[in-house]
Amino acid sequence: MKHILAALVLTAWCGLAMAEEARLTWMGHAAFKIKTASGKIILIDPWISNPKAPKDLKIEKADIILVTHGHSDHVGEAFDLAKKTNATLIASYELTEIAKANGVKQILPINPSGSQKFGDLTITATEAVHSSSYTEKEHTRYAGAPLGFILQEKGLPTIYHAGDTGVFASMATLKDLYRPEIALVPIGGVFTMKPKEAAKAAQLLGVKFVVPMHFGTFPILTGTPADLRGELLNLPSIKVKDLTIGKETTLKSLMQ
Ligand code: NI
Ligand code: MN
């Protein structure tokens, strides 16, 4: 009896130890690292050499790399990281073809409303109101539709990375379809939403937590988290969570 009990306790403890806490790290600009509850490492728009990224930032492991569009501040080091880590690169069809031409072997193309599945993890592409091209040497190529991504996994709050986008009315459809809880949204302005539009986006998406990104990297990206808080004064149920670049946080603590 004692042995059976010990075995049961051990099994339960191992189960707990195996279910990891989902974690999020902002690497500056639009670059994020997510470690899911099942231990998968997802990089989004990994421009890890951005001017605000920690100088000692190194990425040795990744399972999935998502690239929202072809602009250099989003592709960043994605192709080299995909080759180094053997991660699967997910982007628009046109951008995955460019990745392939750059030596990336594991690619999965996607377009708005399409999904790619990895076990319990589902990655769905959304539209983004922006442009997308890829410049190599002197040549600029069409890089397909600009995208955002919805990440859904059992045990993980649904996360939306908006990519570079203006606000769009069908963010309300994203709310109906996917019920995102955390939105990573650009607020810098000029090329994307400013805090005013980002506040409307948060409302349309029905999220409780907004993580501002794509601001302050360059002086022209002037939107600030404080401005976003100001725009959300009348919507106290939406919390602005500004992350410290390079500092990992659990999703549980982010959602407090
Ligand atoms: Ni862009
Ligand atoms: Mn950008």
Side-chain angles (χ1 to χ4, degrees), residues 69 71 73-74 130-131 164 191-192 214:
H69 63 294
H71 294 157
D73 58 320
H74 297 261
H130 194 61
S131 58
D164 274 2
F191 306 111
T192 69
H214 211 278

Side-chain angles (χ1 to χ4, degrees), residues 15-237:
L16 280 176
M18 274 164 67
E20 288 196 50
E21 272 225 52
R23 290 160 197 277
L24 177 71
T25 310
W26 185 32
M27 301 185 287
H29 205 59
F32 288 87
K33 182 165 100 175
I34 296 169
K35 196 166 180 198
T36 72
S38 61
K40 284 189 191 70
I41 297 174
I42 305 169
L43 307 177
I44 311 177
D45 286 354
W47 182 32
I48 58 170
S49 65
N50 76 75
K52 303 284 180 186
K55 293 289 160 268
D56 57 349
L57 181 63
K58 279 207 179 72
I59 290 175
E60 305 296 341
K61 269 183 71 186
D63 300 295
I64 298 163
I65 300 176
L66 308 176
V67 186
T68 59
H69 63 294
H71 294 157
S72 58
D73 58 320
H74 297 261
V75 174
E77 285 75 44
F79 298 163
D80 286 342
L81 285 167
K83 285 185 266 185
K84 178 175 140 182
T85 62
N86 234 1
T88 300
L89 187 139
I90 301 181
S92 72
Y93 169 74
E94 289 80 1
L95 194 49
T96 56
E97 286 297 302
I98 293 169
K100 205 156 73 176
N102 276 276
V104 178
K105 296 245 157 52
Q106 317 262 25
I107 52 161
L108 283 176
I110 201 167
N111 252 325
S113 296
S115 298
Q116 296 282 7
K117 276 189 171 237
F118 299 82
D120 281 344
L121 174 70
T122 303
I123 293 163
T124 303
T126 73
E127 70 176 295
V129 179
H130 194 61
S131 58
S132 179
S133 57
Y134 182 79
T135 304
E136 213 163 5
K137 290 173 190 135
E138 256 102 85
H139 297 282
T140 295
R141 293 168 65 179
Y142 172 64
L147 304 174
F149 291 107
I150 299 270
L151 278 68
Q152 294 169 295
E153 190 188 49
K154 223 192 276 169
L156 187 77
T158 297
I159 300 174
Y160 168 54
H161 186 297
D164 274 2
T165 189
V167 66
F168 51 91
S170 55
M171 282 176 170
T173 305
L174 301 183
K175 172 190 170 178
D176 293 344
L177 287 170
Y178 312 114
R179 305 271 160 203
E181 287 169 84
I182 301 171
L184 318 176
V185 297
I187 63 163
V190 186
F191 306 111
T192 69
M193 300 189 276
K194 303 183 291 298
K196 186 181 178 66
E197 293 83 5
K200 185 67 191 175
Q203 192 187 352
L204 289 168
L205 291 161
V207 293
K208 289 195 195 82
F209 304 95
V210 189
V211 175
M213 64 165 176
H214 211 278
F215 67 93
T217 322
F218 313 110
I220 50 163
L221 306 182
T222 55
T224 66
D227 294 341
L228 179 58
R229 273 197 193 90
E231 296 289 347
L232 286 165
L233 276 181
N234 294 331
L235 294 164
S237 62

